[in-house]
Amino acid sequence: MPPGPPEGSEELAELVPELTPMFPNAAPFLARFLPHAAPSHQGLTQHFCDLHAFLKYLHEEGWFGYLHAVLGDQSAYVLVFEGRTVTAAAASATGEQALGELLSLYEQGAAISAYPLDAVLAHVLSGIGSRAWKFNLTEDFTGLHARPTGAIFYARGEIVATMPSTLPYEGAFPAPLRPQTLILPRSLAGWAHHQYTLTLRGRDALNAITSVHQSFRAQHGQPGLLFLQAINEKLSPAEYAMRSDVALHDLEPLVQDFLKSGCIREG
């Protein structure tokens, strides 16, 4: 039997997978580097799927992947990490504004499809925004290195994948250590950006010796108390969601209930 190849002689291309871009001709940076994947959900429309309920489902599942909304020649792309929307891109927007664009397109009749991703790839992609930075490969670099000849996916300094998608210049999109959740822009979630003030009943709800506290705790539990305390500390729901890593759509019914029960008021 002829001897096999010497150990360690495999080519890099054989060891590292080359990903196929899903949207190779897309203009937004995020879309350009999204890898091809089979959809887990396809063609969702507002006629039979409440988008906020779907986002809540993804959050509860701790899902990794991306969403693509398309309406005519308009598209929006949102990356989901651990069930949280962490970065987004549309034709002329990134971040929160692009997330708002996806919701706006959906309300106008766009179809949305969801494509699952490996958690490591989702983390690498989470740093893609509106601009690339100077590339500096450190031993713990996680992110995307884009070049005119292709892109390299790094996780903790190691190459985990390549992709033929390019940028006209060399640059890097470092991934944050823990990607932050995007919050809807004020135009779509004004309630989340409002300041609320505790009423006397709300202050009683935080006072452990009152009967109001006991009933409040029985109804809302520790999460409700923590949120009410944050409101007392002058945090808006959007700021609290960012700091505590709570999904914004989980806070909206609490705000409505706090207002209805007289624990808080606007302003």
Side-chain angles (χ1 to χ4, degrees):
M1 178 182 292
E7 186 175 342
S9 68
E10 296 90 349
E11 293 292 332
L12 177 64
E14 295 175 355
L15 295 173
V16 177
E18 181 175 74
L19 305 174
T20 302
M22 185 66 125
F23 310 100
N25 300 315
F29 290 159
L30 174 63
R32 190 177 303 185
F33 298 106
L34 291 173
H36 186 275
S40 59
H41 303 80
Q42 192 166 21
L44 303 180
T45 67
Q46 65 170 347
H47 300 297
F48 65 89
C49 178
D50 179 273
L51 185 56
H52 292 285
F54 182 60
L55 292 174
K56 185 171 185 177
Y57 163 77
L58 296 180
H59 186 263
E60 291 169 348
E61 292 291 306
W63 190 80
F64 295 88
Y66 59 89
L67 308 177
H68 176 222
V70 59
L71 182 65
D73 60 355
Q74 300 180 79
S75 284
Y77 313 83
V78 174
L79 187 76
V80 180
F81 182 87
E82 291 179 346
R84 300 176 294 111
T85 54
V86 296
T87 189
S92 57
T94 58
E96 294 171 357
Q97 295 301 321
L99 175 60
E101 182 70 15
L102 178 129
L103 293 176
S104 177
L105 288 176
Y106 193 70
E107 291 172 354
Q108 296 172 50
I112 286 184
S113 295
Y115 301 88
L117 284 181
D118 176 83
V120 172
L121 295 182
H123 190 194
V124 170
L125 293 164
S126 67
I128 299 181
S130 59
R131 59 169 292 186
W133 302 83
K134 182 179 179 181
F135 178 61
N136 178 26
L137 179 59
T138 59
E139 63 180 14
D140 61 348
F141 176 78
T142 296
L144 188 80
H145 177 203
R147 306 162 298 160
T149 54
I152 301 175
F153 289 62
Y154 283 94
R156 297 183 179 180
E158 299 291 330
I159 297 175
V160 294
T162 61
M163 181 182 279
S165 296
T166 64
L167 283 185
Y169 52 88
E170 182 180 19
F173 299 97
L177 186 62
R178 177 159 175 76
Q180 284 197 321
T181 305
L182 290 178
I183 301 300
L184 287 173
R186 187 182 298 271
S187 60
L188 289 173
W191 66 269
H193 299 271
H194 289 166
Q195 291 289 337
Y196 299 90
T197 302
L198 263 62
T199 62
L200 178 59
R201 180 176 179 80
R203 292 195 293 273
D204 282 347
L206 292 178
N207 187 340
I209 66 172
T210 66
S211 59
V212 174
H213 172 84
Q214 302 304 325
S215 60
F216 183 93
R217 187 184 187 93
Q219 182 176 359
H220 299 295
Q222 188 66 14
L225 284 168
L226 290 173
F227 182 33
L228 191 65
Q229 180 60 47
I231 292 174
N232 191 43
E233 295 169 1
K234 305 304 180 186
L235 290 182
S236 70
E239 291 169 328
Y240 177 69
M242 290 284 286
R243 294 190 187 188
S244 64
D245 210 20
V246 172
L248 193 61
H249 50 66
D250 286 342
L251 297 180
E252 186 171 13
L254 285 177
V255 169
Q256 297 305 318
D257 191 77
F258 292 176
L259 288 167
K260 186 177 179 180
S261 62
C263 287
I264 63 173
R265 57 180 172 80
E266 289 194 32

